[in-house]
Amino acid sequence: MVRGSNFIITFLNCVTLLVSLVAIGLSIWLNLNNSSKLCQEVLQKPLLILGVYLLVVSILGLIGSLCGFSFILLIYLFLLFLLIVGLLCFTLFTILVTNKNVSKALSGRGYKEIKSGDYTKWLQKYVDNAENWGEIKSCLVDTKFCQRIPTDKGADFYKYRLTHIQSSCCKPPTYCGLEFHNATYWTMPNTGPAVADDDCKIWSNVQSELCFNCQSCKVAFLDHIQKDWKICSLVNFGLLLLVLFVYGVGCCAFRNNKSKGNHRQKSCPA
């Protein structure tokens, strides 16, 4: 049983060790890469923290399993316990902040427009914050997000399946009644917008502005965050189950090591 549990821990920690090195390497590459944009740079610290934490946990797990040091295994299990608590809290947090959204399908259009949604106050405050939204807007501009949509004209353009962010940030809201020229160039009719809405006035043909400051764009981004976080919560739940399994095997190895008298120091295998 000791050998079996130690073998499983050794194998899993070899995998997490490789993952930690990849995370640390990617974080360093993002830091040294001068061409990396703000939307990439926000990943540096989380990747570095996660990579270093996994590196420490993996090394302790390997030492404890290969050398049979019960004290090292105890520290390893404690760090795993902290990881379990963190994953559990994050899973609950993602569930609380991802509520249903409300999007409206437009007749004769291949895309939807989001006019309002059911969002938590935390997400709304995050997006409404001028500094946070300035960073998000910079990412959309730097990655030339709106230049990816098709240049088809007239009816062909309306049939294209734009994403929520593309339909809300790269073009004016359809209810504004602006005149179409191309995907990112619309003009106001002489009679003015069809409805009195601030987003209709905010729209700009300047490619670095477009409808990035529109409320509809912010709401669409909230919808995008919620969908990503729902996926993240599922992945996080699967990771939580895996860590719980590793924690259980580690506890088994720790108990068996103590029962076999392996708590006394002994040399590691060559």
Side-chain angles (χ1 to χ4, degrees):
M1 183 67 179
V2 176
R3 291 182 179 180
S5 58
N6 283 352
F7 173 77
I8 295 175
I9 291 179
T10 300
F11 174 76
L12 292 176
N13 280 286
C14 286
V15 175
T16 55
L17 180 63
L18 292 176
V19 172
S20 68
L21 293 177
V22 171
I24 294 174
L26 183 57
S27 175
I28 295 174
W29 179 82
L30 288 174
N31 185 52
L32 297 178
N33 186 15
N34 294 328
S35 62
S36 62
K37 303 298 182 181
L38 178 63
C39 39
Q40 294 174 313
E41 292 173 356
V42 295
L43 298 174
Q44 292 177 12
K45 288 185 178 179
L47 277 174
L48 183 60
I49 294 173
L50 177 63
V52 172
Y53 190 88
L54 286 178
L55 179 64
V56 173
V57 172
S58 300
I59 291 176
L60 289 176
L62 288 173
I63 294 176
S65 59
L66 293 176
C67 303
F69 293 155
S70 296
F71 178 71
I72 299 297
L73 277 178
L74 185 62
I75 299 177
Y76 170 74
L77 292 175
F78 175 73
L79 292 178
L80 275 184
F81 176 77
L82 293 181
L83 182 59
I84 291 172
V85 173
L87 289 173
L88 182 61
C89 292
F90 184 74
T91 300
L92 294 176
F93 179 73
T94 55
I95 292 175
L96 290 175
V97 300
T98 52
N99 298 323
K100 65 179 181 179
N101 66 76
V102 179
S103 59
K104 181 180 180 181
L106 303 177
S107 177
R109 306 288 192 266
Y111 54 86
K112 294 181 179 180
E113 283 187 353
I114 301 176
K115 298 182 63 176
S116 62
D118 179 19
Y119 303 105
T120 62
K121 293 182 179 180
W122 184 88
L123 276 178
Q124 289 177 336
K125 288 182 179 179
Y126 175 82
V127 173
D128 288 337
N129 181 278
E131 183 179 353
N132 293 337
W133 185 250
E135 294 179 354
I136 296 170
K137 178 182 173 182
S138 296
C139 288
L140 295 175
V141 174
D142 290 341
T143 57
K144 298 182 179 180
F145 178 78
C146 291
Q147 277 63 47
R148 303 174 189 174
I149 62 179
T151 57
D152 297 335
K153 296 182 178 181
D156 291 333
F157 172 77
Y158 288 117
K159 292 179 181 179
Y160 186 79
R161 295 189 178 277
L162 301 176
T163 66
H164 287 168
I165 296 182
Q166 286 176 330
S167 65
S168 301
C169 301
C170 303
K171 53 174 282 298
T174 302
Y175 56 78
C176 293
L178 271 63
E179 297 177 354
F180 172 88
H181 292 275
N182 63 45
T184 57
Y185 189 85
W186 303 66
T187 56
M188 184 76 67
N190 295 330
T191 56
V195 296
D197 188 272
D198 290 338
D199 283 358
C200 303
K201 302 176 182 178
I202 292 175
W203 165 260
S204 171
N205 286 314
V206 178
Q207 295 301 298
S208 59
E209 294 295 331
L210 299 178
C211 216
F212 293 146
N213 292 319
C214 296
Q215 187 64 26
S216 60
C217 182
K218 296 180 180 180
V219 175
F221 196 82
L222 282 172
D223 179 73
H224 178 72
I225 291 177
Q226 284 193 325
K227 288 182 178 179
D228 283 351
W229 278 26
K230 285 179 181 179
I231 296 174
C232 182
S233 63
L234 293 176
V235 174
N236 196 67
F237 181 72
L239 182 59
L240 177 61
L241 294 179
L242 177 62
V243 175
L244 284 172
F245 171 74
V246 176
Y247 184 79
V249 175
C251 289
C252 181
F254 175 75
R255 183 175 63 252
N256 288 331
N257 278 355
K258 292 196 67 175
S259 65
K260 295 292 184 179
N262 290 335
H263 61 284
R264 293 187 299 271
Q265 186 178 16
K266 59 181 183 179
S267 59
C268 295

